[in-house]
Amino acid sequence: MIQVGLVGHGYWGKNLLRNFYHLPDSSVSWLCDSNEKQLAQAKKNYADLRVTTDYNDLLKDPKLDAVIIATPVFTHYELAKKALKAGKNVLVEKPMTSTVAQAEELIELAQKKKKLIMPDHTFLYTGAVKKMKELISSGAIGKINYIDSTRINLGLFQPDVNVLWDLAPHDISICDYLVEEKPYSVQATGISHTNNGIENIAYLTVNYNSNMIAHFNCSWTSPVKVRNMLIGGDKKMILYNDLETTEKIKIYDTGYELRTEEDKIKIMVDYRTGDIYVPKLDFTEALTGMAQDFVSCIASGNTPKSNAALGLSVVKILEASQQSIKQKGKEIIL
């Protein structure tokens, strides 16, 4: 039985507490939060839970195997570093840290301490993403030419990070998981309408040596909520709509071929439009799968699906995108 402690009982912390509490292989021993009302609320629902406002209470407990960090991103580095130094395994909310240097230091410390550090990129455990990975790995889609992602809604404006740091980690992590190739550069533009220098609309382009391109559109100021991702292969194409209840993935047997002609000036294209296929998906709660992966990898020493290397890749892209935005869309080499 893996003993875990949770830091942060906000919106996502409540979901983490529920999932880890009901896992057969883990037991939630501690909950830490600076808000005593949150602690009192949790105590009503989980009577055997020990609650505290002092993070050190968790670190001093020799029976505690792991710490789950569900706090704002600017706190991740210090909290995770203290936990690793205390000999605890760490699960940290996305994005893993605020900077690449912080992420690299935590990974090195975890290796030194022989402990697991894992970022919580929950979308990798959804039935939709698992199915897309299966289709791409099998070659059914063919060579991936592009990924085009839109994640927009009205609010919530964050006070400390821009819209890319808030929304894009979901889709960047999916892209990194689906496409094994690492990107070589990024370009990003964005704008702040709140006079605080924090961009509420941003566009990120990620470039690959294979001629694949990925584009991410993020906004807190859209009148509608959209969660779409298009994956274009040279055999078939995928439409992933996370807001769909049952048909989250549609596979389009659609494509094009360039005809070889002696006259190289003319571009001859043959278009093909075939059937649309809606595959059956696993609808097990993704957070349950993520929690189980974390607990089982602590016990086995295996590498989780949402691993530290993937978490570092996400932070690298986010940090470079921030540099690009501040330099008016300059290409930043990774």
Side-chain angles (χ1 to χ4, degrees):
M1 184 71 71
I2 302 296
Q3 300 287 331
V4 302
L6 173 64
V7 186
H9 193 244
Y11 166 73
W12 198 242
K14 291 181 176 70
N15 293 325
L16 287 163
L17 176 57
R18 171 175 53 83
N19 275 273
F20 275 95
Y21 190 86
H22 291 106
L23 274 186
D25 301 326
S26 75
S27 174
V28 184
S29 306
W30 286 96
L31 172 64
C32 177
D33 197 286
S34 59
N35 187 328
E36 293 190 358
K37 288 184 179 179
Q38 290 283 3
L39 296 178
Q41 181 191 34
K43 193 70 174 172
K44 288 181 181 178
N45 298 326
Y46 307 94
D48 57 339
L49 192 64
R50 284 179 287 178
V51 298
T52 182
T53 57
D54 187 354
Y55 182 48
N56 290 314
D57 288 341
L58 281 66
L59 305 184
K60 291 175 185 175
D61 185 350
K63 295 181 180 179
L64 196 69
D65 299 298
V67 171
I68 305 164
I69 299 169
T71 56
V73 63
F74 68 89
T75 66
H76 290 179
Y77 167 71
E78 287 295 340
L79 292 174
K81 186 176 180 180
K82 287 180 179 179
L84 289 169
K85 283 187 170 182
K88 312 299 183 188
N89 299 283
V90 173
L91 174 69
V92 61
E93 263 315 298
K94 58 81 192 168
M96 191 159 69
T97 56
S98 300
T99 69
V100 171
Q102 290 175 349
E104 289 175 336
E105 183 182 339
L106 291 180
I107 292 170
E108 185 179 341
L109 180 58
Q111 291 171 343
K112 182 180 177 181
K113 292 287 187 177
K114 294 183 170 56
K115 295 298 175 182
L116 174 64
I117 182 165
M118 172 178 165
D120 175 16
H121 289 292
T122 304
F123 271 88
L124 306 189
Y125 299 86
T126 62
V129 173
K130 286 190 282 186
K131 176 58 71 174
M132 290 193 291
K133 180 69 171 178
E134 177 187 315
L135 290 164
I136 292 168
S137 297
S138 70
I141 306 302
K143 176 182 176 294
I144 304 301
N145 290 324
Y146 71 86
I147 292 179
D148 198 337
S149 171
T150 302
R151 185 172 291 268
I152 59 176
N153 52 261
L154 190 61
L156 172 75
F157 282 69
Q158 299 295 331
D160 56 336
V161 293
N162 71 17
V163 69
L164 285 180
W165 281 88
D166 181 40
L167 297 182
H170 297 302
D171 302 302
I172 295 172
S173 68
I174 293 171
C175 183
D176 187 277
Y177 177 61
L178 296 180
V179 181
E180 294 182 359
E181 180 187 5
K182 296 300 180 186
Y184 75 85
S185 73
V186 304
Q187 294 161 280
T189 56
I191 194 75
S192 171
H193 296 107
T194 51
N195 300 319
N196 62 356
I198 296 176
E199 293 80 14
N200 53 277
I201 298 175
Y203 306 94
L204 166 64
T205 300
V206 183
N207 303 300
Y208 296 78
N209 284 315
S210 66
N211 214 29
M212 194 197 97
I213 192 168
H215 186 259
F216 304 91
N217 170 14
C218 295
S219 173
W220 290 323
T221 57
S222 167
V224 293
K225 185 175 182 178
V226 178
R227 299 286 186 267
N228 280 352
M229 179 178 282
L230 285 166
I231 301 175
D234 59 7
K235 291 182 180 178
K236 296 179 182 179
M237 303 184 187
I238 300 173
L239 170 61
Y240 168 36
N241 182 355
D242 190 51
L243 298 184
E244 280 278 357
T245 53
T246 55
E247 298 182 354
K248 288 183 180 291
I249 285 184
K250 293 179 181 177
I251 303 162
Y252 290 77
D253 188 8
T254 302
Y256 63 90
E257 289 182 2
L258 296 178
R259 293 208 310 267
T260 302
E261 296 286 341
E262 289 184 8
D263 186 354
K264 300 296 183 181
I265 297 175
K266 294 180 181 178
I267 298 175
M268 309 297 288
V269 182
D270 286 331
Y271 296 97
R272 174 178 50 79
T273 302
D275 295 332
I276 301 172
Y277 170 56
V278 180
K280 184 179 179 181
L281 303 179
D282 173 16
F283 281 97
T284 304
E285 185 177 358
L287 198 50
T288 302
M290 185 282 301
Q292 184 62 62
D293 196 18
F294 179 61
V295 169
S296 65
C297 286
I298 291 174
S300 67
N302 291 333
T303 302
K305 183 184 296 184
S306 178
N307 54 68
L310 184 146
L312 175 60
S313 294
V314 172
V315 176
K316 281 182 177 179
I317 290 173
L318 290 171
E319 185 176 88
S321 72
Q322 185 75 23
Q323 294 171 9
S324 181
I325 286 175
K326 298 307 181 186
Q327 297 179 66
K328 306 298 182 183
K330 180 183 176 181
E331 183 179 19
I332 305 295
I333 305 301
L334 294 170

